[in-house]
Amino acid sequence: MKASVFHKREILGSPSFYKKALALSLPVMAQSLIQSMVSLIDNFMVAGLGDIKMSGVNIAGQINFVFLIFLSSLCISGGIFMSQYNGAKDSEGMKQSFRFKIVVTVFFSALYTIFCYVNPRPVLSFMVHGNTQSAEIVAEAAVYMRIAAFTWIPMALSMSAGTSLREIGKVRQPLVFSVIATLINTFFNWIFIYGNLGAPRLEAAGAAYATIIARSCEALLFILYLRTKQPPFYSRLCRIFKIRLSLFLSILSKSGMILASDMSWILTESVVTALYNSRGGAEIVSGMSAGFTIANLFFICFGGIHTSVTVIMGSTLGSGDLKKARMQKNWLLSGSFVFGLFMGITGSFTTFLIPLVFANLSAEAQIVTRSMVLMNAAYMPLWAYLNGQFAVSRTGGDALMGVITDVTTNLFLVLPGMYVLTYYTALGPVAMYGLIKTTDWIKTTIAALWLKKEYWLKNLAQSGTA
């Protein structure tokens, strides 16, 4: 009897533990939900322009999402150290982590801005290679992408500040600023896309202008907040480049492995997207994109899981309590699976939004959207658990697990599998997607075996790594 009780406690935490985890994750999820709602509203407004214009905006969004993951990976790398320095009450270490984020994200955002503005067409063409309406879709996408290019430096500032605040447990401020940016974006979408209040009707370009205004306002709010409240990681502009080289290089080395993992995943997803986009015309591109837009409403749990793991375990590891961190790992992973199951069941009901939000899409596109939403909902428990595994390893500084798990699976299973399904079967895009995602069971198995080695069980704030 005692053994079974002990085993249960090893797997599941107390209600108070999960209450703390939810207190950290719910504001992050609310922020993600708001951002997803913005995307949904954008799609609703652009969908009124027809399949081709919506497809153009969405393939531009798919390319931009690759870079967004790149920025997120850089912020995660700095966040590994930020959360542990927070647990160790080391404000100088926190400042160094924040400076790393600002310097690298702004630098790469400037480069990406130039790329988007100069000539994005070759990359956009790849996303719809073989599609029967590729020329029209690419033309719309290029217009959107060139204008939206100027959102990336403000986005880098917002991401650096917002993730840093969450990593020290301040999760409400990013939520508030996200709400404000959402309202601004929605308002200017309404004005510019359809030409309301005397503005010119700009259609897809109008959505890009609205995004620039919203992201700039969001960045300004973060800057004003940091200057006013001066959290422990705050650094004045004149000191941003005052960097401890050894720590900067240490974070950069973690970045390299996290980037290898995340970029392997997102680039594979991009290739997979291009392959299933070849299965028809604009109805496939718009239908699959709309499916992901709705699925993002329940994908919000991933950010919440990552934040709760990073803050709770990062603080515990930074304080040196490794035994407690070992138990928290089991509790958080169990909670992630249960939470993913709940979100998957809830997410299946979002199919009722399709006739309301995407009424202007063709009947064929709506069928694809509905099937895609249900497919994603079915995978939610697995994906939530896998996200928890990755968060645990990265919080402890073990970025190698992601490289081993993602790169090997994507390179040897996902990409070959998708080419076989594309060129040797007549399966539709949703069936192709569902089949290839079975490889995620292999990913979670590799991750589980790797976590048992406990390479993640480290106090970075006091080790030579920091």
Side-chain angles (χ1 to χ4, degrees):
M1 180 67 176
K2 289 182 178 179
S4 63
V5 172
F6 176 77
H7 183 65
K8 183 183 289 187
R9 288 178 178 172
E10 283 286 305
I11 297 174
L12 294 173
S14 65
S16 61
F17 175 80
Y18 289 117
K19 183 178 179 181
K20 178 182 178 181
L22 283 173
L24 291 166
S25 62
L26 287 178
V28 176
M29 290 172 59
Q31 181 183 359
S32 297
L33 178 62
I34 290 165
Q35 291 170 339
S36 296
M37 289 300 294
V38 171
S39 180
L40 193 64
I41 292 167
D42 282 353
N43 275 268
F44 169 71
M45 292 181 175
V46 176
L49 305 174
D51 284 1
I52 290 177
K53 290 184 183 294
M54 181 179 173
S55 297
V57 171
N58 277 288
I59 66 163
Q62 288 163 6
I63 299 300
N64 286 338
F65 186 62
V66 173
F67 185 69
L68 186 65
I69 294 298
F70 180 83
L71 289 185
S72 177
S73 299
L74 293 173
C75 287
I76 287 171
S77 304
I80 291 171
F81 291 81
M82 178 72 76
S83 60
Q84 291 217 19
Y85 279 126
N86 181 50
K89 310 300 180 187
D90 184 343
S91 61
E92 180 56 31
M94 295 165 72
K95 287 183 173 70
Q96 292 290 328
S97 301
F98 179 66
R99 290 168 189 165
F100 170 85
K101 290 186 185 185
I102 290 289
V103 170
V104 295
T105 58
V106 170
F107 172 75
F108 285 110
S109 292
L111 294 180
Y112 188 65
T113 298
I114 295 170
F115 161 75
C116 291
Y117 187 77
V118 173
N119 186 22
R121 280 178 174 268
V123 178
L124 292 169
S125 297
F126 169 77
M127 295 303 298
V128 286
H129 178 72
N131 190 280
T132 57
Q133 295 172 287
S134 59
E136 299 97 317
I137 294 172
V138 169
E140 292 292 335
V143 171
Y144 177 87
M145 202 165 181
R146 284 197 179 100
I147 299 169
F150 297 98
T151 65
W152 288 106
I153 290 178
M155 175 74 85
L157 297 172
S158 296
M159 285 186 69
S160 297
T163 55
S164 297
L165 287 169
R166 287 197 291 267
E167 286 147 8
I168 64 171
K170 294 184 180 295
V171 292
R172 296 183 186 276
Q173 290 78 15
L175 171 61
V176 172
F177 299 155
S178 183
V179 170
I180 295 171
T182 297
L183 294 174
I184 292 171
N185 191 68
T186 304
F187 175 70
F188 282 103
N189 268 338
W190 178 73
I191 289 178
F192 292 135
I193 290 176
Y194 291 107
N196 290 305
L197 298 182
R201 180 186 172 97
L202 300 175
E203 299 189 340
Y209 284 118
T211 303
I212 292 174
I213 295 170
R215 293 304 182 193
S216 298
C217 290
E218 184 180 34
L220 181 61
L221 287 171
F222 272 113
I223 291 169
L224 292 174
Y225 177 83
L226 295 184
R227 285 183 63 98
T228 303
K229 299 297 182 180
Q230 297 192 4
F233 61 79
Y234 172 73
S235 292
R236 296 177 62 186
L237 182 61
C238 62
R239 299 178 66 85
I240 286 295
F241 292 100
K242 190 173 182 180
I243 294 167
R244 191 193 312 163
L245 186 59
S246 60
L247 178 58
F248 189 93
L249 293 176
S250 182
I251 300 175
L252 200 60
S253 69
K254 299 294 181 188
S255 298
M257 286 188 283
I258 291 175
L259 284 171
S261 172
D262 286 353
M263 297 313 292
S264 162
W265 167 71
I266 192 58
L267 290 174
T268 301
E269 290 292 304
S270 299
V271 172
V272 167
T273 299
L275 290 172
Y276 62 59
N277 280 346
S278 68
R279 285 305 211 216
E283 79 284 352
I284 297 298
V285 180
S286 59
M288 295 293 280
S289 298
F292 278 117
T293 300
I294 293 181
N296 281 335
L297 296 177
F298 48 92
F299 286 173
I300 60 173
C301 74
F302 302 147
I305 289 169
H306 183 271
T307 297
S308 58
V309 171
T310 299
V311 174
I312 292 173
M313 289 191 59
S315 181
T316 302
L317 289 168
S319 67
D321 194 344
L322 303 186
K323 181 179 179 181
K324 185 178 179 181
R326 185 182 287 113
M327 288 191 297
Q328 287 177 340
K329 182 263 292 185
N330 295 331
W331 299 345
L332 287 164
L333 290 181
S334 299
S336 297
F337 181 83
V338 173
F339 199 39
L341 182 62
F342 170 77
M343 293 300 290
I345 294 171
T346 304
S348 63
F349 290 101
T350 60
T351 52
F352 294 111
L353 294 171
I354 296 169
L356 300 174
V357 179
F358 297 110
N360 290 314
L361 290 184
S362 63
E364 295 84 358
Q366 290 190 42
I367 291 171
V368 172
T369 300
R370 185 175 295 103
S371 301
M372 197 63 186
V373 170
L374 293 174
M375 184 67 73
N376 281 308
Y379 272 104
M380 280 303 295
L382 171 64
W383 290 342
Y385 190 82
L386 185 58
N387 271 267
Q389 290 175 310
F390 273 61
V392 167
S393 70
R394 290 173 175 180
T395 300
D398 177 23
L400 183 59
M401 188 198 84
V403 178
I404 299 296
T405 303
D406 264 338
V407 175
T408 54
T409 307
N410 292 332
L411 186 60
F412 296 110
L413 293 176
V414 177
L415 289 177
M418 271 304 295
Y419 275 102
V420 169
L421 292 175
T422 301
Y423 295 109
Y424 296 98
T425 76
L427 292 173
V430 179
M432 292 166 61
Y433 177 84
L435 276 175
I436 208 63
K437 286 300 176 183
T438 58
T439 57
D440 286 342
W441 287 103
I442 297 174
K443 287 186 180 182
T444 197
T445 301
I446 295 172
L449 295 172
W450 191 273
L451 287 177
K452 285 185 178 180
K453 300 178 184 294
E454 296 192 338
Y455 297 133
W456 56 271
L457 201 63
K458 298 174 186 174
N459 181 346
L460 298 176
Q462 294 179 4
S463 70
T465 307

